[in-house]
Amino acid sequence: MQTILGIIFHFIGGFASGSFYIPYKKVKGWSWESYWIVGGLFSWLIVPPLAAYLTIPGYVDIIKHTNGNILWLTYFFGVLWGIGGLTYGLGVRYLGVALGSSIILGLCSVFGALIPSIYYDINPSAGKDSFSDLLHSPWGQMVLIGIVISVIGIIICGKAGVMKENDLKEKDSGNENTEYKVGLGLTVSIISGVLSACFAFGIDAGKDMAHEANEAWKALNPGQGEFLYQNNVTYVIILLGGLTTNLLWCLYLNSKNKTFGDYTNSKTPLLKNYIFCALAGTTWFLQFFFYGMAESKLGNGASSWILHMVFIILIANTWGLILKEWKGVKKSTIITLLIGLVILLLSVFIVGYGNSIK
């Protein structure tokens, strides 16, 4: 039952992540940097402390007496994760949406799932699953098989994306991407894929805060398992790091593109723009709110991160089909996409089974 709940929570988190950008499409008359940072203020600054306040009594006190080195490392991983998110856009710019996204998400999945377990092989820690644990246990082997299958699914979805781009180019041969740069695009995508996985590292770095919240809750609720919301205190620090990176970059773009006026431009539907940005930002945060709930059931190991990434890719591609983003492509392209999605679903069941026999 714990495994099933963990998978359900990961699905809800993946749904939030795969859907959060839709409200941004309703923002009118603003540049990307303007609506991105307004939404980001809700994602990284406003909602995380609110969620922690509502779910963890005394969360501020937990942060205050946490070791400074732990706080700094947790924040630092948040900064790196923020850079990964920003370079995501460059990867897509130079390789195209399909190929760039597939490479970045694939690398993020693998690095986020496996690097922590490899680290715990070098520096063993009680309660942490090392890569050796995965290799030498039946449940761990199933999780690794699920990871491999998920990567195959991601590659096939990426292949479908490349096919889609080629199909659409055939219909509009005069509209070629002159910014397509394989070498630069691959370099940026690799950097983004690696750094985007730092969110998982930040959760591990700040685990002392979550552990304290968990122990306090269990003392008041004996025999009721692990605290669902223990990670909410850690997110406050990680997301401050992400805010730092994104705020600096967006303010730079506001200055460069002379778009500071967006925030008060009466010629745009200001109230609606702010509401849609708030909705997008809050929805984005919900992915990690539910990730934390799932982690309380499955742990922040390889299985949790890979399930999170797989559900994001599944939901995002499903939205693409619903919103007819694949309209006009060949039948073989749609079939390739559906095969990739089925394989991703298969990986979910395998990883879930691995956790159930742990």
PDB file of all heavy atoms in Angstrom, residues 239-271:
ATOM      1  N   LEU A 239      14.668  26.240  -2.846  1.00  0.00           N
ATOM      2  CA  LEU A 239      14.021  27.114  -3.819  1.00  0.00           C
ATOM      3  C   LEU A 239      14.480  28.560  -3.710  1.00  0.00           C
ATOM      4  O   LEU A 239      14.373  29.317  -4.681  1.00  0.00           O
ATOM      5  CB  LEU A 239      12.502  27.005  -3.682  1.00  0.00           C
ATOM      6  CG  LEU A 239      11.970  25.614  -4.083  1.00  0.00           C
ATOM      7  CD1 LEU A 239      10.484  25.496  -3.806  1.00  0.00           C
ATOM      8  CD2 LEU A 239      12.257  25.329  -5.551  1.00  0.00           C
ATOM      9  N   LEU A 240      15.031  28.953  -2.572  1.00  0.00           N
ATOM     10  CA  LEU A 240      15.684  30.269  -2.503  1.00  0.00           C
ATOM     11  C   LEU A 240      16.890  30.305  -3.431  1.00  0.00           C
ATOM     12  O   LEU A 240      17.182  31.326  -4.053  1.00  0.00           O
ATOM     13  CB  LEU A 240      16.107  30.575  -1.065  1.00  0.00           C
ATOM     14  CG  LEU A 240      15.016  31.067  -0.112  1.00  0.00           C
ATOM     15  CD1 LEU A 240      15.595  31.271   1.284  1.00  0.00           C
ATOM     16  CD2 LEU A 240      14.389  32.371  -0.619  1.00  0.00           C
ATOM     17  N   GLY A 241      17.591  29.172  -3.519  1.00  0.00           N
ATOM     18  CA  GLY A 241      18.714  29.082  -4.458  1.00  0.00           C
ATOM     19  C   GLY A 241      18.237  29.199  -5.887  1.00  0.00           C
ATOM     20  O   GLY A 241      18.833  29.921  -6.705  1.00  0.00           O
ATOM     21  N   GLY A 242      17.139  28.496  -6.223  1.00  0.00           N
ATOM     22  CA  GLY A 242      16.581  28.597  -7.564  1.00  0.00           C
ATOM     23  C   GLY A 242      16.085  29.993  -7.876  1.00  0.00           C
ATOM     24  O   GLY A 242      16.252  30.498  -8.996  1.00  0.00           O
ATOM     25  N   LEU A 243      15.497  30.655  -6.878  1.00  0.00           N
ATOM     26  CA  LEU A 243      15.035  32.037  -7.051  1.00  0.00           C
ATOM     27  C   LEU A 243      16.204  32.958  -7.369  1.00  0.00           C
ATOM     28  O   LEU A 243      16.109  33.814  -8.258  1.00  0.00           O
ATOM     29  CB  LEU A 243      14.327  32.506  -5.785  1.00  0.00           C
ATOM     30  CG  LEU A 243      13.959  33.992  -5.739  1.00  0.00           C
ATOM     31  CD1 LEU A 243      12.914  34.320  -6.794  1.00  0.00           C
ATOM     32  CD2 LEU A 243      13.459  34.395  -4.358  1.00  0.00           C
ATOM     33  N   THR A 244      17.315  32.787  -6.672  1.00  0.00           N
ATOM     34  CA  THR A 244      18.485  33.646  -6.878  1.00  0.00           C
ATOM     35  C   THR A 244      18.922  33.630  -8.333  1.00  0.00           C
ATOM     36  O   THR A 244      19.108  34.679  -8.974  1.00  0.00           O
ATOM     37  CB  THR A 244      19.651  33.191  -5.987  1.00  0.00           C
ATOM     38  OG1 THR A 244      19.246  33.226  -4.618  1.00  0.00           O
ATOM     39  CG2 THR A 244      20.868  34.084  -6.180  1.00  0.00           C
ATOM     40  N   THR A 245      19.077  32.433  -8.883  1.00  0.00           N
ATOM     41  CA  THR A 245      19.540  32.293 -10.265  1.00  0.00           C
ATOM     42  C   THR A 245      18.554  32.900 -11.242  1.00  0.00           C
ATOM     43  O   THR A 245      18.917  33.684 -12.131  1.00  0.00           O
ATOM     44  CB  THR A 245      19.734  30.798 -10.608  1.00  0.00           C
ATOM     45  OG1 THR A 245      20.517  30.185  -9.594  1.00  0.00           O
ATOM     46  CG2 THR A 245      20.417  30.635 -11.945  1.00  0.00           C
ATOM     47  N   ASN A 246      17.292  32.525 -11.112  1.00  0.00           N
ATOM     48  CA  ASN A 246      16.277  32.966 -12.071  1.00  0.00           C
ATOM     49  C   ASN A 246      15.991  34.454 -11.962  1.00  0.00           C
ATOM     50  O   ASN A 246      15.787  35.127 -12.984  1.00  0.00           O
ATOM     51  CB  ASN A 246      14.992  32.161 -11.860  1.00  0.00           C
ATOM     52  CG  ASN A 246      15.065  30.766 -12.442  1.00  0.00           C
ATOM     53  OD1 ASN A 246      14.710  30.532 -13.591  1.00  0.00           O
ATOM     54  ND2 ASN A 246      15.540  29.814 -11.647  1.00  0.00           N
ATOM     55  N   LEU A 247      15.982  34.997 -10.735  1.00  0.00           N
ATOM     56  CA  LEU A 247      15.715  36.422 -10.558  1.00  0.00           C
ATOM     57  C   LEU A 247      16.800  37.266 -11.215  1.00  0.00           C
ATOM     58  O   LEU A 247      16.514  38.230 -11.934  1.00  0.00           O
ATOM     59  CB  LEU A 247      15.606  36.757  -9.077  1.00  0.00           C
ATOM     60  CG  LEU A 247      15.310  38.225  -8.734  1.00  0.00           C
ATOM     61  CD1 LEU A 247      13.968  38.651  -9.302  1.00  0.00           C
ATOM     62  CD2 LEU A 247      15.330  38.445  -7.220  1.00  0.00           C
ATOM     63  N   LEU A 248      18.059  36.912 -10.982  1.00  0.00           N
ATOM     64  CA  LEU A 248      19.164  37.664 -11.578  1.00  0.00           C
ATOM     65  C   LEU A 248      19.094  37.641 -13.104  1.00  0.00           C
ATOM     66  O   LEU A 248      19.284  38.661 -13.768  1.00  0.00           O
ATOM     67  CB  LEU A 248      20.505  37.107 -11.094  1.00  0.00           C
ATOM     68  CG  LEU A 248      20.850  37.353  -9.619  1.00  0.00           C
ATOM     69  CD1 LEU A 248      22.133  36.630  -9.241  1.00  0.00           C
ATOM     70  CD2 LEU A 248      20.981  38.856  -9.345  1.00  0.00           C
ATOM     71  N   TRP A 249      18.791  36.462 -13.656  1.00  0.00           N
ATOM     72  CA  TRP A 249      18.754  36.339 -15.108  1.00  0.00           C
ATOM     73  C   TRP A 249      17.573  37.115 -15.703  1.00  0.00           C
ATOM     74  O   TRP A 249      17.722  37.819 -16.709  1.00  0.00           O
ATOM     75  CB  TRP A 249      18.679  34.872 -15.518  1.00  0.00           C
ATOM     76  CG  TRP A 249      18.631  34.649 -16.998  1.00  0.00           C
ATOM     77  CD1 TRP A 249      17.603  34.146 -17.726  1.00  0.00           C
ATOM     78  CD2 TRP A 249      19.663  34.943 -17.952  1.00  0.00           C
ATOM     79  NE1 TRP A 249      17.918  34.099 -19.068  1.00  0.00           N
ATOM     80  CE2 TRP A 249      19.182  34.581 -19.232  1.00  0.00           C
ATOM     81  CE3 TRP A 249      20.952  35.469 -17.841  1.00  0.00           C
ATOM     82  CZ2 TRP A 249      19.945  34.729 -20.385  1.00  0.00           C
ATOM     83  CZ3 TRP A 249      21.720  35.615 -19.001  1.00  0.00           C
ATOM     84  CH2 TRP A 249      21.209  35.252 -20.251  1.00  0.00           C
ATOM     85  N   CYS A 250      16.411  37.002 -15.070  1.00  0.00           N
ATOM     86  CA  CYS A 250      15.234  37.686 -15.603  1.00  0.00           C
ATOM     87  C   CYS A 250      15.364  39.203 -15.480  1.00  0.00           C
ATOM     88  O   CYS A 250      14.943  39.949 -16.380  1.00  0.00           O
ATOM     89  CB  CYS A 250      13.974  37.191 -14.885  1.00  0.00           C
ATOM     90  SG  CYS A 250      13.478  35.520 -15.366  1.00  0.00           S
ATOM     91  N   LEU A 251      15.958  39.672 -14.387  1.00  0.00           N
ATOM     92  CA  LEU A 251      16.177  41.112 -14.258  1.00  0.00           C
ATOM     93  C   LEU A 251      17.166  41.614 -15.306  1.00  0.00           C
ATOM     94  O   LEU A 251      17.017  42.716 -15.860  1.00  0.00           O
ATOM     95  CB  LEU A 251      16.684  41.449 -12.853  1.00  0.00           C
ATOM     96  CG  LEU A 251      15.669  41.300 -11.719  1.00  0.00           C
ATOM     97  CD1 LEU A 251      16.315  41.615 -10.372  1.00  0.00           C
ATOM     98  CD2 LEU A 251      14.453  42.197 -11.953  1.00  0.00           C
ATOM     99  N   TYR A 252      18.171  40.778 -15.595  1.00  0.00           N
ATOM    100  CA  TYR A 252      19.120  41.124 -16.662  1.00  0.00           C
ATOM    101  C   TYR A 252      18.388  41.247 -18.001  1.00  0.00           C
ATOM    102  O   TYR A 252      18.599  42.206 -18.763  1.00  0.00           O
ATOM    103  CB  TYR A 252      20.219  40.077 -16.749  1.00  0.00           C
ATOM    104  CG  TYR A 252      21.020  40.137 -18.032  1.00  0.00           C
ATOM    105  CD1 TYR A 252      21.950  41.152 -18.255  1.00  0.00           C
ATOM    106  CD2 TYR A 252      20.821  39.193 -19.046  1.00  0.00           C
ATOM    107  CE1 TYR A 252      22.664  41.227 -19.441  1.00  0.00           C
ATOM    108  CE2 TYR A 252      21.528  39.252 -20.228  1.00  0.00           C
ATOM    109  CZ  TYR A 252      22.450  40.270 -20.432  1.00  0.00           C
ATOM    110  OH  TYR A 252      23.149  40.341 -21.620  1.00  0.00           O
ATOM    111  N   LEU A 253      17.488  40.282 -18.288  1.00  0.00           N
ATOM    112  CA  LEU A 253      16.741  40.325 -19.544  1.00  0.00           C
ATOM    113  C   LEU A 253      15.772  41.497 -19.570  1.00  0.00           C
ATOM    114  O   LEU A 253      15.576  42.121 -20.620  1.00  0.00           O
ATOM    115  CB  LEU A 253      15.984  39.011 -19.741  1.00  0.00           C
ATOM    116  CG  LEU A 253      16.836  37.771 -20.046  1.00  0.00           C
ATOM    117  CD1 LEU A 253      15.948  36.540 -20.207  1.00  0.00           C
ATOM    118  CD2 LEU A 253      17.674  37.979 -21.307  1.00  0.00           C
ATOM    119  N   ASN A 254      15.144  41.811 -18.425  1.00  0.00           N
ATOM    120  CA  ASN A 254      14.284  42.990 -18.356  1.00  0.00           C
ATOM    121  C   ASN A 254      15.055  44.250 -18.738  1.00  0.00           C
ATOM    122  O   ASN A 254      14.551  45.114 -19.469  1.00  0.00           O
ATOM    123  CB  ASN A 254      13.729  43.168 -16.944  1.00  0.00           C
ATOM    124  CG  ASN A 254      12.496  42.332 -16.659  1.00  0.00           C
ATOM    125  OD1 ASN A 254      12.294  41.848 -15.551  1.00  0.00           O
ATOM    126  ND2 ASN A 254      11.638  42.149 -17.655  1.00  0.00           N
ATOM    127  N   SER A 255      16.298  44.344 -18.221  1.00  0.00           N
ATOM    128  CA  SER A 255      17.125  45.508 -18.521  1.00  0.00           C
ATOM    129  C   SER A 255      17.560  45.510 -19.980  1.00  0.00           C
ATOM    130  O   SER A 255      17.447  46.534 -20.677  1.00  0.00           O
ATOM    131  CB  SER A 255      18.349  45.514 -17.606  1.00  0.00           C
ATOM    132  OG  SER A 255      19.223  46.582 -17.931  1.00  0.00           O
ATOM    133  N   LYS A 256      18.026  44.374 -20.450  1.00  0.00           N
ATOM    134  CA  LYS A 256      18.515  44.265 -21.827  1.00  0.00           C
ATOM    135  C   LYS A 256      17.416  44.518 -22.847  1.00  0.00           C
ATOM    136  O   LYS A 256      17.617  45.224 -23.851  1.00  0.00           O
ATOM    137  CB  LYS A 256      19.118  42.878 -22.045  1.00  0.00           C
ATOM    138  CG  LYS A 256      19.604  42.630 -23.466  1.00  0.00           C
ATOM    139  CD  LYS A 256      20.100  41.195 -23.643  1.00  0.00           C
ATOM    140  CE  LYS A 256      20.503  40.936 -25.094  1.00  0.00           C
ATOM    141  NZ  LYS A 256      20.905  39.518 -25.290  1.00  0.00           N
ATOM    142  N   ASN A 257      16.231  43.946 -22.601  1.00  0.00           N
ATOM    143  CA  ASN A 257      15.132  44.035 -23.565  1.00  0.00           C
ATOM    144  C   ASN A 257      14.177  45.196 -23.280  1.00  0.00           C
ATOM    145  O   ASN A 257      13.180  45.351 -23.977  1.00  0.00           O
ATOM    146  CB  ASN A 257      14.338  42.724 -23.561  1.00  0.00           C
ATOM    147  CG  ASN A 257      15.195  41.531 -23.952  1.00  0.00           C
ATOM    148  OD1 ASN A 257      16.122  41.655 -24.749  1.00  0.00           O
ATOM    149  ND2 ASN A 257      14.891  40.368 -23.391  1.00  0.00           N
ATOM    150  N   LYS A 258      14.518  45.971 -22.216  1.00  0.00           N
ATOM    151  CA  LYS A 258      13.683  47.125 -21.851  1.00  0.00           C
ATOM    152  C   LYS A 258      12.222  46.709 -21.626  1.00  0.00           C
ATOM    153  O   LYS A 258      11.296  47.314 -22.180  1.00  0.00           O
ATOM    154  CB  LYS A 258      13.790  48.213 -22.915  1.00  0.00           C
ATOM    155  CG  LYS A 258      15.193  48.793 -23.058  1.00  0.00           C
ATOM    156  CD  LYS A 258      15.243  49.860 -24.139  1.00  0.00           C
ATOM    157  CE  LYS A 258      16.592  50.559 -24.165  1.00  0.00           C
ATOM    158  NZ  LYS A 258      17.740  49.655 -24.387  1.00  0.00           N
ATOM    159  N   THR A 259      12.042  45.690 -20.793  1.00  0.00           N
ATOM    160  CA  THR A 259      10.695  45.152 -20.552  1.00  0.00           C
ATOM    161  C   THR A 259      10.240  45.332 -19.102  1.00  0.00           C
ATOM    162  O   THR A 259       9.286  44.697 -18.664  1.00  0.00           O
ATOM    163  CB  THR A 259      10.644  43.656 -20.921  1.00  0.00           C
ATOM    164  OG1 THR A 259      11.719  42.962 -20.241  1.00  0.00           O
ATOM    165  CG2 THR A 259      10.777  43.451 -22.413  1.00  0.00           C
ATOM    166  N   PHE A 260      10.914  46.202 -18.344  1.00  0.00           N
ATOM    167  CA  PHE A 260      10.476  46.458 -16.975  1.00  0.00           C
ATOM    168  C   PHE A 260       9.054  47.036 -16.941  1.00  0.00           C
ATOM    169  O   PHE A 260       8.328  46.866 -15.960  1.00  0.00           O
ATOM    170  CB  PHE A 260      11.427  47.433 -16.281  1.00  0.00           C
ATOM    171  CG  PHE A 260      12.654  46.784 -15.714  1.00  0.00           C
ATOM    172  CD1 PHE A 260      13.910  47.071 -16.242  1.00  0.00           C
ATOM    173  CD2 PHE A 260      12.571  45.884 -14.661  1.00  0.00           C
ATOM    174  CE1 PHE A 260      15.051  46.484 -15.721  1.00  0.00           C
ATOM    175  CE2 PHE A 260      13.702  45.294 -14.134  1.00  0.00           C
ATOM    176  CZ  PHE A 260      14.945  45.588 -14.666  1.00  0.00           C
ATOM    177  N   GLY A 261       8.654  47.677 -18.027  1.00  0.00           N
ATOM    178  CA  GLY A 261       7.327  48.278 -18.075  1.00  0.00           C
ATOM    179  C   GLY A 261       6.197  47.279 -18.142  1.00  0.00           C
ATOM    180  O   GLY A 261       5.022  47.644 -17.955  1.00  0.00           O
ATOM    181  N   ASP A 262       6.509  46.006 -18.416  1.00  0.00           N
ATOM    182  CA  ASP A 262       5.458  44.989 -18.505  1.00  0.00           C
ATOM    183  C   ASP A 262       4.616  44.929 -17.240  1.00  0.00           C
ATOM    184  O   ASP A 262       3.396  44.752 -17.292  1.00  0.00           O
ATOM    185  CB  ASP A 262       6.074  43.595 -18.742  1.00  0.00           C
ATOM    186  CG  ASP A 262       6.609  43.413 -20.151  1.00  0.00           C
ATOM    187  OD1 ASP A 262       6.310  44.259 -21.001  1.00  0.00           O
ATOM    188  OD2 ASP A 262       7.321  42.414 -20.393  1.00  0.00           O
ATOM    189  N   TYR A 263       5.268  45.073 -16.087  1.00  0.00           N
ATOM    190  CA  TYR A 263       4.589  44.849 -14.811  1.00  0.00           C
ATOM    191  C   TYR A 263       3.497  45.874 -14.515  1.00  0.00           C
ATOM    192  O   TYR A 263       2.620  45.623 -13.688  1.00  0.00           O
ATOM    193  CB  TYR A 263       5.621  44.848 -13.675  1.00  0.00           C
ATOM    194  CG  TYR A 263       6.770  43.888 -13.916  1.00  0.00           C
ATOM    195  CD1 TYR A 263       8.071  44.365 -14.125  1.00  0.00           C
ATOM    196  CD2 TYR A 263       6.554  42.520 -13.955  1.00  0.00           C
ATOM    197  CE1 TYR A 263       9.122  43.491 -14.350  1.00  0.00           C
ATOM    198  CE2 TYR A 263       7.601  41.636 -14.177  1.00  0.00           C
ATOM    199  CZ  TYR A 263       8.888  42.126 -14.385  1.00  0.00           C
ATOM    200  OH  TYR A 263       9.922  41.263 -14.611  1.00  0.00           O
ATOM    201  N   THR A 264       3.557  47.025 -15.185  1.00  0.00           N
ATOM    202  CA  THR A 264       2.562  48.078 -14.946  1.00  0.00           C
ATOM    203  C   THR A 264       1.892  48.548 -16.237  1.00  0.00           C
ATOM    204  O   THR A 264       1.197  49.565 -16.241  1.00  0.00           O
ATOM    205  CB  THR A 264       3.220  49.297 -14.266  1.00  0.00           C
ATOM    206  OG1 THR A 264       4.330  49.756 -15.068  1.00  0.00           O
ATOM    207  CG2 THR A 264       3.726  48.931 -12.878  1.00  0.00           C
ATOM    208  N   ASN A 265       2.078  47.822 -17.313  1.00  0.00           N
ATOM    209  CA  ASN A 265       1.561  48.226 -18.623  1.00  0.00           C
ATOM    210  C   ASN A 265       0.032  48.094 -18.653  1.00  0.00           C
ATOM    211  O   ASN A 265      -0.513  46.986 -18.737  1.00  0.00           O
ATOM    212  CB  ASN A 265       2.181  47.358 -19.714  1.00  0.00           C
ATOM    213  CG  ASN A 265       1.791  47.832 -21.109  1.00  0.00           C
ATOM    214  OD1 ASN A 265       1.001  48.762 -21.276  1.00  0.00           O
ATOM    215  ND2 ASN A 265       2.353  47.194 -22.130  1.00  0.00           N
ATOM    216  N   SER A 266      -0.662  49.218 -18.590  1.00  0.00           N
ATOM    217  CA  SER A 266      -2.131  49.213 -18.532  1.00  0.00           C
ATOM    218  C   SER A 266      -2.764  48.771 -19.852  1.00  0.00           C
ATOM    219  O   SER A 266      -3.976  48.513 -19.904  1.00  0.00           O
ATOM    220  CB  SER A 266      -2.642  50.610 -18.163  1.00  0.00           C
ATOM    221  OG  SER A 266      -2.207  51.574 -19.109  1.00  0.00           O
ATOM    222  N   LYS A 267      -1.972  48.682 -20.917  1.00  0.00           N
ATOM    223  CA  LYS A 267      -2.492  48.218 -22.201  1.00  0.00           C
ATOM    224  C   LYS A 267      -2.633  46.694 -22.240  1.00  0.00           C
ATOM    225  O   LYS A 267      -3.190  46.151 -23.188  1.00  0.00           O
ATOM    226  CB  LYS A 267      -1.571  48.686 -23.340  1.00  0.00           C
ATOM    227  CG  LYS A 267      -1.541  50.206 -23.520  1.00  0.00           C
ATOM    228  CD  LYS A 267      -0.636  50.606 -24.670  1.00  0.00           C
ATOM    229  CE  LYS A 267      -0.611  52.123 -24.835  1.00  0.00           C
ATOM    230  NZ  LYS A 267       0.291  52.545 -25.949  1.00  0.00           N
ATOM    231  N   THR A 268      -2.129  46.036 -21.228  1.00  0.00           N
ATOM    232  CA  THR A 268      -2.260  44.586 -21.122  1.00  0.00           C
ATOM    233  C   THR A 268      -3.262  44.265 -20.005  1.00  0.00           C
ATOM    234  O   THR A 268      -3.486  45.091 -19.121  1.00  0.00           O
ATOM    235  CB  THR A 268      -0.909  43.923 -20.786  1.00  0.00           C
ATOM    236  OG1 THR A 268      -0.476  44.370 -19.491  1.00  0.00           O
ATOM    237  CG2 THR A 268       0.140  44.290 -21.822  1.00  0.00           C
ATOM    238  N   PRO A 269      -3.854  43.072 -20.023  1.00  0.00           N
ATOM    239  CA  PRO A 269      -4.785  42.697 -18.942  1.00  0.00           C
ATOM    240  C   PRO A 269      -4.013  42.360 -17.667  1.00  0.00           C
ATOM    241  O   PRO A 269      -3.802  41.190 -17.341  1.00  0.00           O
ATOM    242  CB  PRO A 269      -5.508  41.478 -19.518  1.00  0.00           C
ATOM    243  CG  PRO A 269      -4.538  40.889 -20.495  1.00  0.00           C
ATOM    244  CD  PRO A 269      -3.784  42.046 -21.078  1.00  0.00           C
ATOM    245  N   LEU A 270      -3.600  43.380 -16.933  1.00  0.00           N
ATOM    246  CA  LEU A 270      -2.681  43.206 -15.805  1.00  0.00           C
ATOM    247  C   LEU A 270      -3.196  42.217 -14.758  1.00  0.00           C
ATOM    248  O   LEU A 270      -2.464  41.319 -14.332  1.00  0.00           O
ATOM    249  CB  LEU A 270      -2.404  44.557 -15.142  1.00  0.00           C
ATOM    250  CG  LEU A 270      -1.444  45.494 -15.883  1.00  0.00           C
ATOM    251  CD1 LEU A 270      -1.347  46.832 -15.160  1.00  0.00           C
ATOM    252  CD2 LEU A 270      -0.061  44.856 -15.993  1.00  0.00           C
ATOM    253  N   LEU A 271      -4.443  42.388 -14.327  1.00  0.00           N
ATOM    254  CA  LEU A 271      -4.967  41.518 -13.272  1.00  0.00           C
ATOM    255  C   LEU A 271      -4.959  40.056 -13.729  1.00  0.00           C
ATOM    256  O   LEU A 271      -4.517  39.163 -12.984  1.00  0.00           O
ATOM    257  CB  LEU A 271      -6.377  41.952 -12.885  1.00  0.00           C
ATOM    258  CG  LEU A 271      -7.049  41.104 -11.790  1.00  0.00           C
ATOM    259  CD1 LEU A 271      -6.214  41.141 -10.503  1.00  0.00           C
ATOM    260  CD2 LEU A 271      -8.478  41.596 -11.528  1.00  0.00           C
TER     261      LEU A 271
END
